[in-house]
Amino acid sequence: MTSVKVISTSTIHVANKDSTVEEEIQLTPWDLQFLLFDPIQKGLLFWNNPITTPPIIIQRLKHSLSSTLSFFPLLAGRLSVTEHDDNTSSVSVICNNSGALFVHAVADKYSVNDIVSSVYTPRFVHSLFPLNRVRNHEGITKPLLAVQVTELNDGFFVGCAMNHVVGDGSSFWHFMNSWAEISRGSEELSKPPVLERWFLDSSASAIRVPLTKEKMIQSGYDGFVPEPQCERVFHFSKDKIAELKAKANAEIEGESKNKISSLQALLTHLWRSVVGSQGLEPEEEVNYSLTMGGRGRMKSPGVAENYFGNAVQVGIVGMKVKELLEGGLGKGALELNKIVGLHTEEKMKSYYRGWAENPRLLTMRGLGGNNTLVTSSSPRFDVYGNDFGWGKPVAVRSGAGNKIHGTITVYAGAEDGVDFEVCLSYETLEAMGNNPGFMDAFSAAY
């Protein structure tokens, strides 16, 4: 039983909306592939501010959210579905100002340290987020954006859920950064979003997906409910990451030498530890699923840095257990490097075209598995710059959405380095924690 008590719920509309025209935004293959996923759920933890009381915090966040939505009107809209005779549907976003959900809650039995000082993320953290057990396709009737502000006994947590069909992780943090900027008193955004959708063909018609409206409004359409897992945050300092990068590159010969990035070395270090802790057979296949961003890759036509929408696709690396564990850090890192290099502009365009012709909806059931790690988010996102007017956050955590065995969420560290939020079985996480080869590079948990 949760000790989180909801005080109030309200609907936040776009501030000063004077137009009755409901703009329709067509969705791209990059957007539509996430219809069966959960919303993005990320939240920020803050200490109480002695000069700012909870009522003032709630009022400021509501007011600034309304103002911010005027720059992101689709987040106050809903999904719209047009059904066709062949059991397919076309999905778009209607900017009708139906509003975002705002929840005010209290969990005064818990403290900031209950979250940041626990070796494993406490279960109650998932209750600090809205839109739990909601799939993106339910955005027909559910809000595309929801916020839950929960008072703790010495701090508060701002949990945000955004429909993944509307935007990716880059878009999520762009919105959060913008909201914080408005909350601090700005009337304009330093990085206004580019809302126009990116299409290869400007005359492209609405894409049909193999899903009826009836199925879209059924919660849990694919019937997949992941088994509960444990979560732990691992922090790696800048110096430790540099050591891993140097080690990985030193193990590589030929023209690929010195091409391994810091993140590729760190992800491989994690991958090898997870696989080594699972007791798999040497000939078993293990996979690493990476999310590839299109903003830096697409040049003609280009995808703007401030593009608000999805611009990602998935690349998968496969290796035998024996190859990964006996080949050294460099071998696995080189395989990650190769898959990243293969995702050129032309490959991403080819995927885009192919998806439009033959839509394939991603599912967590199909993406994950006991032998697969799935990485999302990026250390480049500005997480700790989200000062709403009472100081920077203490920590970041994610909700239950899209969590399966092997989910890895990557964040920049609060001071330096990188944090991994790792979702695995308790037994695997315990084995990793008792592995000196892995924990030697581990700096501290938040």
Side-chain angles (χ1 to χ4, degrees):
M1 180 178 179
T2 180
S3 297
V4 178
K5 179 183 178 181
V6 173
I7 302 301
S8 66
T9 62
S10 54
T11 301
I12 308 298
H13 299 282
V14 176
N16 304 318
K17 187 177 187 299
D18 54 8
S19 173
T20 58
V21 177
E22 296 184 355
E23 181 185 1
E24 180 179 16
I25 297 178
Q26 295 296 335
L27 297 172
T28 74
W30 286 334
D31 299 322
L32 295 169
Q33 64 181 336
F34 291 113
L35 274 169
L36 298 182
F37 264 44
D38 300 327
I40 298 173
Q41 292 181 315
K42 301 287 185 285
L44 300 170
L45 180 65
F46 297 86
W47 289 107
N48 277 339
N49 188 315
I51 61 173
T52 307
T53 62
I56 293 176
I57 290 172
I58 297 299
Q59 188 58 36
R60 176 187 285 189
L61 287 176
K62 284 184 175 182
H63 183 268
S64 59
L65 178 59
S66 177
S67 299
T68 308
L69 287 174
S70 65
F71 297 98
F72 299 84
L74 71 172
L75 291 179
R78 296 291 184 269
L79 296 185
S80 176
V81 177
T82 301
E83 292 192 288
H84 305 290
D85 294 336
D86 58 354
N87 288 325
T88 64
S89 302
S90 301
V91 185
S92 60
V93 176
I94 299 295
C95 301
N96 57 8
N97 202 21
S98 290
L101 174 66
F102 191 99
V103 179
H104 175 203
V106 172
D108 51 13
K109 291 184 178 179
Y110 301 114
S111 68
V112 169
N113 280 331
D114 285 333
I115 297 175
V116 299
S117 298
S118 298
V119 174
Y120 296 104
T121 302
R123 293 288 186 186
F124 79 85
V125 169
H126 291 171
S127 301
L128 306 181
F129 290 89
L131 300 187
N132 284 315
R133 300 186 67 81
V134 170
R135 296 289 169 88
N136 293 318
H137 56 74
E138 297 178 72
I140 303 167
T141 57
K142 303 287 186 180
L144 302 183
L145 176 74
V147 174
Q148 180 175 320
V149 181
T150 306
E151 297 178 46
L152 308 176
N153 66 23
D154 57 356
F156 57 97
F157 190 89
V158 180
C160 186
M162 185 182 83
N163 192 300
H164 208 328
V165 170
V166 176
D168 54 19
S170 179
S171 296
F172 177 92
W173 289 111
H174 183 184
F175 167 75
M176 293 294 284
N177 296 159
S178 301
W179 183 17
E181 187 175 14
I182 295 295
S183 183
R184 292 195 303 271
S186 177
E187 295 183 356
E188 298 294 331
L189 298 181
S190 57
K191 295 181 179 179
V194 175
L195 300 178
E196 183 179 357
R197 265 350 196 218
W198 189 91
F199 288 98
L200 275 175
D201 183 353
S202 59
S203 61
S205 58
I207 298 169
R208 298 186 179 191
V209 296
L211 206 60
T212 63
K213 185 174 182 179
E214 180 182 0
K215 287 182 177 178
M216 287 190 199
I217 62 177
Q218 294 173 357
S219 178
Y221 156 72
D222 66 355
F224 177 60
V225 179
E227 295 181 6
Q229 303 292 332
C230 285
E231 298 168 54
R232 181 173 179 176
V233 176
F234 295 97
H235 175 71
F236 298 89
S237 70
K238 184 178 179 180
D239 290 342
K240 290 293 186 180
I241 296 171
E243 291 177 12
L244 289 171
K245 178 182 178 180
K247 184 177 188 295
N249 280 294
E251 294 176 0
I252 295 172
E253 301 294 338
E255 60 182 24
S256 297
K257 194 174 184 64
N258 296 323
K259 287 189 176 181
I260 304 302
S261 71
S262 297
L263 185 57
Q264 289 162 7
L266 188 55
L267 290 175
T268 306
H269 179 66
L270 176 69
W271 190 18
R272 297 178 77 232
S273 176
V274 172
V275 171
S277 299
Q278 289 180 308
L280 303 176
E281 295 297 324
E283 295 301 315
E284 284 192 67
E285 183 88 7
V286 290
N287 300 300
Y288 206 121
S289 177
L290 293 171
T291 302
M292 310 290 178
R295 287 172 179 78
R297 288 178 170 87
M298 312 307 287
K299 306 297 182 184
S300 179
V303 180
E305 179 186 354
N306 294 345
Y307 176 72
F308 191 85
N310 288 285
V312 294
Q313 65 188 57
V314 174
I316 299 177
V317 176
M319 295 182 73
K320 299 288 187 183
V321 170
K322 183 177 180 179
E323 292 178 310
L324 179 64
L325 297 184
E326 297 181 7
L329 182 66
K331 184 174 180 61
L334 184 58
E335 293 304 310
L336 294 186
N337 178 270
K338 287 177 180 177
I339 200 68
V340 171
L342 286 174
H343 278 72
T344 61
E345 178 180 15
E346 188 49 49
K347 183 175 178 64
M348 294 196 77
K349 285 182 177 180
S350 176
Y351 173 88
Y352 189 104
R353 293 189 191 98
W355 202 100
E357 295 171 359
N358 182 28
R360 302 170 303 282
L361 302 178
L362 295 173
T363 65
M364 293 308 293
R365 184 204 297 272
L367 197 60
N370 286 339
N371 289 8
T372 300
L373 296 187
V374 182
T375 289
S376 64
S377 198
S378 168
R380 297 178 180 177
F381 298 156
D382 184 9
V383 173
Y384 288 95
N386 286 293
D387 179 353
F388 288 84
W390 44 75
K392 294 183 178 181
V394 179
V396 57
R397 293 293 185 269
S398 62
N402 302 315
K403 287 282 179 67
I404 58 172
H405 184 278
T407 302
I408 313 295
T409 308
V410 185
Y411 301 109
E415 300 298 333
D416 78 339
V418 172
D419 288 349
F420 284 159
E421 187 182 56
V422 182
C423 181
L424 290 165
S425 69
Y426 172 78
E427 292 76 14
T428 300
L429 286 174
E430 277 288 286
M432 291 170 64
N434 293 322
N435 178 0
F438 175 70
M439 296 300 288
D440 180 59
F442 169 68
S443 300
Y446 281 63

